Amino acid sequence: MALSAPLYAKSVPHNLEHIIVTGSRVVESIDEVPASVTVISREQIEAQLKVSPELQNLLEVLVPGMAPSTNSSSNTGQTLRGRAPLIMIDGVPQSTPLRNGSLGIRSLDPSVLERIEVIKGATSVYGNGAAGGVINYITKKPSNSSDFSASVDASTRFSAVKSDETLGTRVEGSINGRMDKFSYLATLSYEENGVQRDAEGDILGLQYGLSDVETENYFTKIGYDFDAEKSLSLTFNYYKSQQKTDLGDIFGDINQGDKSYAIHVPADQQKQGRPQGPSGNTNIMLKYSDSEVFANTGMTVDLYAQDIENVFFYSPNLANPSAGYDGGQSIIASEKQGLRTTFNSQFELQGAEATFIYGVDLLNDISSQPLVDGRIWVPEMDMSNLAGFVQSKWVIDDHYVIKAGVRHEDIDLKVDDYRTLELCRSETQCSVPMDVKGDTLNYSATTYNIGIKYNAFEAFSPFISYSQGADISDIGLLLRTATVNDISLIRTEAAVIDNYEVGFTSVLDALRLEGSLYRSTSELGTSNSFNETTGVYMPVRAPQEIWGYELLADYRFNSAWRTTLTYAYVEGKNTKDDIYLGAKQISPPKATANLQWQPSRDTGVSMTLLYVGNRKRFAANANGDYVGDQGPVDDYLVVNLSGQHKFTEQLNAYIGVENLLNRDYYPARAQAYTYGGYNIKGLGTSITVGLKYQF
């Protein structure tokens, strides 16, 4: 899809040519991007957050090609076109590709967002980890106005099914202003959830759950304009979101149709170990821009540092009775330092407008996954990455847009000698520990992209594109399950993803249509196979092919009424064995419908329908059970409603209802994942009520 049109911004005209994105690392017109891009505006973000404060739910509804939300803190299974996306804040990676814990989507509070840009399909524009594309959270900038402004937003959230213990609170505040050449913006937010209940009134299971989660976010951006061309900005963001609860899980079995849920239990039966969730993730970004560093050329230099520590739940699958461990709790720790230099040169060449974007990226990423008790599950991986790139764009006769580019990566990954863990599911089902000799692995890859878009007719503007991405994601998963004694013998080769796509946009008066058809292939994918002897899910590296299509229709009936419909289908196979890929990558078909009514400037109502279809590609085993991520998915429909009214220019009230019809259902991942504890039902009817005051 070329662009998902804003659903709630009445002030945005139907012609969206002025919308810009950073898919090429510099701002450009959306009409000059021969690729699938979804831009989510601030108005859309605010409208969706009236229903749910979770970014996973927002992306599920507003991004065709994004797998259904998991209703949890983990985005495992919430892929983009069947592959893992790279999550970024202002271009800085938040994912931990070397050991992908699937927690990147919840990496900041949505109150700091100006917009979200989603570039779909494999891309090497930002380097490693973007096998499925890029989700870039663009943070707010200080106002250009010299006036000081501030706002306070307070809301509460509770279950309409059974309100006991469900009351949650959320407060966010911000200040914004400018003093001559100096500008500033600061926000802080704090949210405390009550327990979350399903449609039957039971508390949702705790595995990656959001009951009793406390979240805090501190964000500031300071800018200084040296002159009209040169500026410097410093951005700081601190995010912490952890579950602190006295509940305990009652585990069910999805093969038997039994849900997992939580109840109050004695202290010795409560969740052991540290609270799960991000324990304090920090991002610092320094940006220098010069729009005329030399003739016809602008320059941007980004220097960034990041410290991530994601704590996972206590699991009995990390047990080793012979060594005195009845379970364990892991932490994914990652430290990144990087430098990005981007030049942007524009010329007139024989009647064509030519743009050249080029630069150098440096990144050092040190990631590991130790256990809280001191055991090392994934050893420290020290990656140094040097990359250079050139991207060109040619606009010919105002009708043809041709983009072509190349990026070369050189990666060194150092791992010291280590020993794999002995882990036991039972006394007789244990993995075999292995002493593994470390080494420095070297990767080198050159990836290419080319795309063409034809803009002569507003009624039909087609594009075609080919892009590649180089990916060494989740090396940590391969290291921790090693069955050989030398790291050089583990199949850690980089995967090159080839992405092919054709699409179009059409504007016919009040109707906007979009569509795309895509196919991506890779000679090396990573799926899993369960080893009955050791009780370990072993990585399987085999060629993969993923294909699908997306459709969007947006129609404005009049100034008050508007509707948007989307449909997305994705499927994929391990082509070596001709078997379908499981739910860790492939989601069921998804359709959304949004109806918006805004009778006046001060009042608006929106209803959203989310439909998730069936996907039943796998057979049960001899015992009649499904294994791994191969459970059958039945369809379900969820309806959300939100509304707002502005009493004065300063005071705005809003209400949101999630799962308006109190549908009793298992989300797609909960049906497909047979791993213990994932079979948690969806949230029952929940209501959010809030007030926002602007000074």
Side-chain angles (χ1 to χ4, degrees), residues 552-591:
L552 178 144
D554 180 83
Y555 184 72
R556 185 182 294 278
F557 298 95
N558 51 46
S559 61
W561 290 92
R562 183 177 184 177
T563 188
T564 304
L565 309 174
T566 74
Y567 183 81
Y569 174 87
V570 61
E571 192 51 88
K573 277 189 172 184
N574 169 338
T575 55
K576 178 182 178 181
D577 300 320
D578 193 31
I579 57 176
Y580 285 100
L581 300 175
K584 283 190 175 181
Q585 288 186 254
I586 306 301
S587 62
K590 184 188 74 173

Side-chain angles (χ1 to χ4, degrees), residues 2 39 88 120 130 171 187 221 254 256 367 372 389 432 472 476 495 507 553 559 590 612-613 624 628 644:
V39 178
M88 302 190 301
K120 290 176 276 187
V171 178
T187 74
K221 184 175 288 188
I254 193 65
Q256 304 301 319
S367 296
V372 171
F389 66 93
V432 179
I472 62 165
V507 178
S559 61
K590 184 188 74 173
V612 176
Q644 64 175 352

Side-chain angles (χ1 to χ4, degrees), residues 564-636:
T564 304
L565 309 174
T566 74
Y567 183 81
Y569 174 87
V570 61
E571 192 51 88
K573 277 189 172 184
N574 169 338
T575 55
K576 178 182 178 181
D577 300 320
D578 193 31
I579 57 176
Y580 285 100
L581 300 175
K584 283 190 175 181
Q585 288 186 254
I586 306 301
S587 62
K590 184 188 74 173
T592 66
N594 174 266
L595 181 63
Q596 172 190 348
W597 179 49
Q598 192 163 359
S600 71
R601 178 176 174 272
D602 297 330
T603 303
V605 178
S606 177
M607 177 178 287
T608 299
L609 285 72
L610 169 70
Y611 173 77
V612 176
N614 298 302
R615 185 173 189 255
K616 302 179 181 181
R617 294 294 192 184
F618 307 99
N621 62 18
N623 297 323
D625 292 336
Y626 294 91
V627 298
D629 59 349
Q630 299 182 354
V633 177
D634 291 318
D635 65 335
Y636 56 90

Side-chain angles (χ1 to χ4, degrees), residues 251-511:
F251 290 115
D253 185 343
I254 193 65
N255 279 300
Q256 304 301 319
D258 299 328
K259 68 183 179 184
S260 292
Y261 60 98
I263 60 173
H264 289 284
V265 295
D268 61 347
Q269 299 177 31
Q270 295 170 12
K271 283 285 184 182
Q272 301 180 46
R274 293 173 55 184
Q276 68 176 0
S279 64
N281 295 349
T282 303
N283 282 276
I284 302 175
M285 294 161 272
L286 183 66
K287 178 189 290 287
Y288 175 76
S289 298
D290 187 339
S291 62
E292 196 72 21
V293 65
F294 50 84
N296 302 315
T297 299
M299 179 188 71
T300 302
V301 179
D302 295 288
L303 181 67
Y304 60 88
Q306 179 195 81
D307 188 2
I308 288 178
E309 185 175 85
N310 289 322
V311 182
F312 291 80
F313 55 85
Y314 188 90
S315 172
N317 291 335
L318 297 176
N320 183 356
S322 64
Y325 299 105
D326 59 3
Q329 186 178 22
S330 73
I331 301 170
I332 290 182
S334 178
E335 294 183 3
K336 300 186 185 80
Q337 294 85 37
L339 173 68
R340 292 198 312 264
T341 303
T342 305
F343 293 90
N344 176 21
S345 299
Q346 298 180 335
F347 304 97
E348 288 277 350
L349 296 176
Q350 297 182 345
E353 298 177 19
T355 301
F356 295 92
I357 304 162
Y358 48 98
V360 175
D361 292 347
L362 296 170
L363 171 64
N364 179 235
D365 182 348
I366 301 175
S367 296
S368 62
Q369 190 175 18
L371 301 187
V372 171
D373 57 36
R375 289 178 288 168
I376 301 300
W377 196 13
V378 176
E380 186 174 275
M381 300 166 286
D382 188 342
M383 182 186 78
S384 297
N385 187 345
L386 170 64
F389 66 93
V390 177
Q391 184 75 35
S392 66
K393 179 173 69 176
W394 305 80
V395 181
I396 304 172
D397 295 332
D398 293 328
H399 294 161
Y400 295 93
V401 179
I402 302 174
K403 296 185 73 173
V406 59
R407 179 183 175 98
H408 180 77
E409 305 264 359
D410 282 314
I411 299 174
D412 292 334
L413 182 69
K414 180 183 178 182
V415 180
D416 292 332
D417 298 348
Y418 70 100
R419 180 179 176 83
T420 63
L421 287 182
E422 179 180 2
L423 301 176
C424 302
R425 286 178 177 263
S426 67
E427 291 184 2
T428 60
Q429 195 179 42
C430 296
S431 63
V432 179
M434 180 73 64
D435 289 309
V436 182
K437 181 178 181 295
D439 201 350
T440 297
L441 304 176
N442 306 113
Y443 303 90
S444 181
T446 303
T447 54
Y448 304 89
N449 68 82
I450 185 169
I452 303 173
K453 190 170 186 182
Y454 184 59
N455 285 330
F457 305 105
E458 195 174 48
F460 184 69
S461 180
F463 71 86
I464 183 170
S465 69
Y466 166 73
S467 61
Q468 290 182 308
D471 189 31
I472 62 165
S473 290
D474 231 343
I475 296 295
L477 178 63
L478 302 173
L479 297 183
R480 79 185 191 191
T481 54
T483 56
V484 293
N485 60 8
D486 193 318
I487 188 177
S488 64
L489 301 176
I490 303 173
R491 295 209 66 188
T492 59
E493 303 102 307
V496 175
I497 297 96
D498 294 296
N499 189 78
Y500 309 85
E501 182 173 9
V502 294
F504 72 93
T505 61
S506 295
V507 178
L508 306 168
D509 195 21
L511 174 66

